[in-house]
Structures are given as C-alpha cells and as structure tokens.
Amino acid sequence: MIKADSLVKMFGPKLAVDGVSFEVKAGEVLGFLGPNGAGKSTTMRMITGYLPMTSGTITIDGADIVNNPIAAKSRIGYLPENAPSYPESTVEGFLSFIAEAKGLAGQAKHDAIEHAIGLCQLEKVRHQTIDTLSKGYKHRTCFAQAIINDPPILVLDEPTDGLDPNQKHEMRNLIREMGKTKAIIVSTHILEEVEAICTRVVIIDKGKVVFNGTPAELRGRSPEAGTVTIATSKVEYQEFEAAAKVLPNVAKILDKGKDGNRNLFAVVPRKATETCLAGDVKAMMDAKGWSFVELHTETGKLDEVFRSITSNETGEKKAEE
Amino acid sequence: MKNIWIIAKRELSGYFNSPIAYVFIVIFLLLMGFFTFMMGGFFRSNEASLGAFFVWHPWLYMLLVPAIGMRLWAEERKQGTLELLFTMPITVNQAVIGKFLAGWLFLGLALLLTCPMPFTLYYLGSPDGGPMVTGYVGSFLMAGAYLSVASMTSSFTRNQVISFITSLVICLLLVLSGYPPVTNLLLKWGAANSLVELASAFSVMFHFESLQRGVIDFRDLLYFASLIVFCLFTTNLVLKNQR
C-alpha cells in the first residue's frame, strides 16, 4: 500500500533523510521509531505529500505522490504532529470541512461524521469550539479527521501524545483494530506502544534506516535476551555453576549477587533463540532437589536495544522544521 | 470549483465564528462614516455624488485590507493547519483562490453595508447612478487587489505583523505612484513625463478614479485583474516551494 524508495530530503545543505526505503502492506501496523530529529516527521510529511522530496519515490496504493497527488492524498488519513486544527470552528464544523475536502457530500458525509465522532468519543463536545477543548479532546478531534473517510492508509505522527492512560489504551485498541485491514504507519517515542500495537518496526537514526523487523526481533537484539535468571536461597554459586555449566547451549553463568537472603544467578545461552533453556535449568534444579523462588527468561529490554542502535546525541540539533 | 468553494466556506465561517468579522465590519463602517462626513464634507459639498465617500477608500483599505489578508496564510502556517490543508486531496491553487475569494467576499459584504450612503443621496437629491455603481465596482476591485497583495505577503511568513506591514507598504506604493502630490513632486524634480505617466499607470489611484467617472473601461478592469492574478500566482509559487 505504501512504498517508499530511497527517499532523500535536504533542508538547504543539511541532509535530513538519507536513502530511506520501506514498504507497508494492508494489515500491517508499522512502528516508526527514532530519536528526536532523526527524520521521522520529515519522512511522514513526504509520504503524505506535504513536503516535496529531494529524490526518491513514494507510491500510495499505486499512485505516485508527486505525479498523482490528488489520487494519492485521497487515500491517506493523516494525523500531523501536535494535532493541528482550526481553533475557532466547532468539532462538528471542522470534521464537516475535512469530510467535504475529502470529497464526501450529503448522506455519506453525515454518516462519516457520525461514525468518526462515535469512534473517537467526541459526542459530548461536538458543538464546542475547538479552542475550548482539553488537549486529549483536541488530539482525538484531529484523529477523527484522519479516519473520517475510512481511508485504506493511515499515517499517524505520535497518536497517543497528550492522552491520559485510559485514552492511550483506547487509542491503541482503535489502531490495532484498524490495523487488521488498513496499512498504518505510527511514529512514537513510547517503546511499550510498539509492542502493544505494531506488527513491524522501522528505526531511523540520522536519516537512515538502522532496523527493520518485528518487535520480537528487536527484543532479540538485546544482549540479555534469552538469559535465564534464578533466585534461590538454598544453593551457593559454586554448586550451581558446576551443575549448570554442563547443560547444552550454555555460554556462561553469572553470579548476580544477593537480593535479601536470596542468591541470584544468570544463565546466558549461546544463542538467544535456541530451545528452552529455562526448561533445562528447571529440570536440573529438580533433579538436584534444589528449590527456587523465581526462574524466568529475560525477553530483552527494548530501551536498551533502542539506545544501542541509535546514536546517543541528546540535544543534537533538530533536523526537522 | 467545488473544492474552491469548500475552502472559501471554511475561511468565511472562520471570520464569523470569531470576533474578527464583527469588529472589522463595525470599525470599517465607523471609519468610512467618519471620514466621509467629518473630513470629506459629504453634506457641505452640496453635491449629489459619492466623491467625498470614495476618495477615502484607497487610504482606508490600506490599513483595513491587510488586517484581513495578513492571517490568510501566516495563521495556517503558525497553527500547523497548513500541513492538514496540503495533505487533503486539494491543489495549492484551489486553496489559494478559495481563501482569497473568502476574504474578498467578506470585504464585499462590508462594502455593501455602506449602502445607506447612496440611499441618503437618493433621498436628498437626484444623483447620477452610473458613477455610483462603477465607483462601487472600482472600490470592490481595489479591495481585491489589496487583498491579493496581502495574501502574497502572508504566504512568506508565519508572522502576522511582518505580513501586515509589508503588504501595507506595497499598497502604499501602489497608491502613491499615482497620487497627484507625489507625481507633481516627481515632475518638479525633473523626472521624464513619460516615466511619471508610466508609474501612475501602475497605481490603483489612477484606475480607481477612472472607474468613478461612470464608465467601465476595459483597461481598468484588466489592470485590477492582472494585479490580482499576479499576486495569487506568486502566493501559489511561494506556498509550493517554501514548506
């Protein structure tokens, strides 16, 4: 549905997006991650046809965004960063304008507005002017705008920004539900959100794609992924190590110190994805007759992976704007 | 065409959903009335014509029209709605024309509300209808020309003050280049006659006065039309290239 091919965007002499390519199919929710100023919003603006690219091509459902912008744009619902809207119009008036601009009229327009208001729970504020609304309502009004003509493609720049935890939950459910049939791109800073809604993740850093895969694969990149941690008060490290190092697929065994009166050990596998190390360790513990209070497999920490694959230059100039 | 109307409708509703429309119309009418009656000597001239009314239009529009035009694009830019607008299945051209038309229609409405002036004349005497009608047409065209200038300056910036001041200065130049005290001064300084004539041909003053005589001259219409088209075309170019 969305196909971006070697996108390049220069702002004057500054390279903001450098050869980004990816594809999103219907039924996919693509999480778009990256540090501030990595080129996320710039890329999204190019996909939606707001910014012209310096080079590269974008095809939206077969329509080229540069050569056939009207056809391409009519298939995209876009929630820009900071959810802009016209403050002096009412929620209903604003949605009515967007519906008309997207080519809806008469009963179809009426139904589309009702549907969007219902989905985004704007019933209570539909006659209020937008500048009197709270941030969460403003955000949802702009989201309603994006989905109003039920487009096959959604581009959402930080869709849960400014929402309270309940609203975030609702929004994620909504996106996940829509992602079953639509092609969706979501940019976010919240890593747990990626796991909650995305079927695939693209991480860009300094304008380049540095990761493209599933959230599970991203976790797998963590050095801790697959490590089995055991907490026990009965066994000392030497005993444990001697017994555990003979298990298959064990790279090393670590003494993680004490938590209260419990000893903590970690068994690191050679390959994170191989077999069931936790099962082997448990079988060994049972055979020895050692009891334990905790035994679990680390799935890897997303934020660690994120930090390790993106450069850590906080406060670096923003490439966007 | 439909898209142009959709954009224009939203822009117009923006005026009337905020105090802008009402404040503008009240001030517009107050200033028009004040200058016509107090400064222009509408009654004292003892003439059944709107000359004392129209003579102020080029000057008043200079202040009031940029006030409407300055927000056309600067506001969209500042609020980020430009991004919404240009990701809709609408062309830049349609948006430029739609927003311009909304402003122009609004100015036309404000101008229409001055209709008690000609009614007064009809009540008091028997004025010549022709010059009044063409005067109104000229005034409306002039408002459109000023507005297109303001639309252009508004597209350059997100700052409404800059937009206001630059369009005011451009409008001032358009007026002064044909304002007799200025053209006389230029002649006295030794500027060639043909040059001064050329400059005044670029002035709204020249064409507006010509229209007040009761004849619609094609050249005057062409002047206003080409000024508007040029400014809107520039607006279009700026918006396409400066995102």
Side-chain angles (χ1 to χ4, degrees), chain B residues 224-238:
Chain B
F224 285 115
S226 51
L227 188 59
I228 291 172
V229 169
F230 170 78
C231 288
L232 292 189
F233 182 71
T234 312
T235 309
N236 191 334
L237 277 187
V238 171

Side-chain angles (χ1 to χ4, degrees), chain A residues 11 41 45 48-52 69-71 73-74 76 78 80-81 84-90 93-94 97-98 100-105 109 129 142 145 157 321, chain B residues 2-3 5-11 13-15 17-18 71 75-77 79-92 94 99 158 239-243:
Chain A
F11 287 112
S41 291
R45 284 175 178 164
T48 52
Y50 177 63
L51 281 179
I70 300 301
K73 285 173 181 177
S74 63
I76 305 180
Y78 178 37
E81 208 179 358
S85 53
Y86 294 99
E88 72 279 354
S89 59
T90 62
F94 175 65
F97 162 63
I98 300 286
E100 285 177 14
K102 290 195 173 177
L104 296 172
K109 175 186 134 187
T129 56
C142 199
Q145 164 278 130
D157 204 345
E321 273 301 319
Chain B
K2 206 183 83 215
N3 286 344
W5 175 235
I6 291 168
I7 299 280
K9 209 168 64 179
R10 200 222 61 81
E11 187 74 16
S13 79
Y15 296 149
N17 284 338
S18 64
R71 57 195 297 283
E75 180 127 316
E76 297 263 355
R77 241 184 233 286
Q79 279 168 356
T81 43
L82 197 66
E83 201 168 338
L84 271 186
L85 200 57
F86 287 155
T87 51
M88 295 287 143
I90 283 177
T91 65
V92 175
Q94 288 167 342
K99 282 173 79 80
R158 65 175 62 204
L239 289 172
K240 268 189 184 144
N241 292 305
Q242 205 201 56
R243 282 192 209 150

Side-chain angles (χ1 to χ4, degrees), chain A residues 17-30:
Chain A
V17 173
D18 183 8
V20 167
S21 303
F22 59 86
E23 207 174 325
V24 190
K25 298 190 181 71
E28 267 191 313
V29 180
L30 177 77

Side-chain angles (χ1 to χ4, degrees), chain B:
Chain B
M1 201 57 213
K2 206 183 83 215
N3 286 344
I4 292 176
W5 175 235
I6 291 168
I7 299 280
K9 209 168 64 179
R10 200 222 61 81
E11 187 74 16
L12 272 174
S13 79
Y15 296 149
F16 288 98
N17 284 338
S18 64
I20 296 175
Y22 311 102
V23 171
F24 181 87
I25 287 178
V26 167
I27 292 197
F28 179 85
L29 295 178
L30 279 178
L31 285 179
M32 281 293 178
F34 173 77
F35 279 99
T36 308
F37 293 107
M38 310 304 280
M39 312 284 285
F42 187 64
F43 293 123
R44 259 175 292 142
S45 67
N46 223 2
E47 228 182 277
S49 91
L50 284 176
F53 167 61
F54 285 132
V55 73
W56 300 104
H57 286 203
W59 306 98
L60 277 177
Y61 281 171
M62 218 158 67
L63 277 178
L64 294 175
V65 175
I68 289 296
M70 68 180 183
R71 57 195 297 283
L72 280 179
W73 295 105
E75 180 127 316
E76 297 263 355
R77 241 184 233 286
K78 197 165 160 223
Q79 279 168 356
T81 43
L82 197 66
E83 201 168 338
L84 271 186
L85 200 57
F86 287 155
T87 51
M88 295 287 143
I90 283 177
T91 65
V92 175
N93 220 355
Q94 288 167 342
V96 168
I97 296 174
K99 282 173 79 80
F100 168 77
L101 279 184
W104 203 14
L105 282 177
F106 176 68
L107 290 170
L109 173 75
L111 186 62
L112 264 187
L113 291 177
T114 62
C115 61
M117 301 265 187
F119 291 161
T120 312
L121 284 184
Y122 272 111
Y123 180 71
L124 294 174
S126 47
D128 186 356
M132 287 205 299
V133 171
T134 58
Y136 265 105
V137 169
S139 178
F140 184 55
L141 286 172
M142 187 168 57
Y146 281 22
L147 186 69
S148 68
V149 169
S151 159
M152 180 176 74
T153 61
S154 179
S155 67
F156 286 119
T157 173
R158 65 175 62 204
N159 186 323
Q160 298 198 11
V161 177
I162 293 175
S163 159
F164 178 82
I165 299 213
T166 40
S167 61
L168 190 145
V169 167
I170 295 175
C171 291
L172 183 68
L173 286 177
L174 283 177
V175 169
L176 287 186
S177 63
Y179 185 52
V182 176
T183 49
N184 289 342
L185 194 68
L186 286 175
L187 283 174
K188 217 167 73 189
W189 283 347
N193 216 343
S194 54
L195 216 67
V196 175
E197 256 173 49
L198 185 72
S200 68
F202 275 107
S203 167
V204 286
M205 212 66 162
F206 179 81
H207 297 278
F208 179 48
E209 273 169 8
S210 147
L211 275 171
Q212 280 176 60
R213 286 184 210 119
V215 197
I216 292 190
D217 188 334
F218 176 69
R219 280 170 302 176
D220 298 328
L221 295 186
L222 188 69
Y223 166 80
F224 285 115
S226 51
L227 188 59
I228 291 172
V229 169
F230 170 78
C231 288
L232 292 189
F233 182 71
T234 312
T235 309
N236 191 334
L237 277 187
V238 171
L239 289 172
K240 268 189 184 144
N241 292 305
Q242 205 201 56
R243 282 192 209 150

Side-chain angles (χ1 to χ4, degrees), chain A residues 107-156:
Chain A
Q107 190 61 36
K109 175 186 134 187
H110 178 80
D111 292 346
I113 294 172
E114 290 309 315
H115 184 66
I117 284 180
L119 266 186
C120 302
Q121 298 166 4
L122 296 166
E123 194 52 53
K124 264 196 331 207
V125 298
R126 63 189 297 163
H127 298 299
Q128 276 188 42
T129 56
I130 291 173
D131 59 356
T132 63
L133 299 180
S134 68
K135 197 174 173 194
Y137 271 122
K138 276 184 191 161
H139 212 90
R140 278 186 283 160
T141 303
C142 199
F143 181 76
Q145 164 278 130
I147 60 168
I148 197 146
N149 61 339
D150 197 21
I153 293 167
L154 287 178
V155 178
L156 310 171

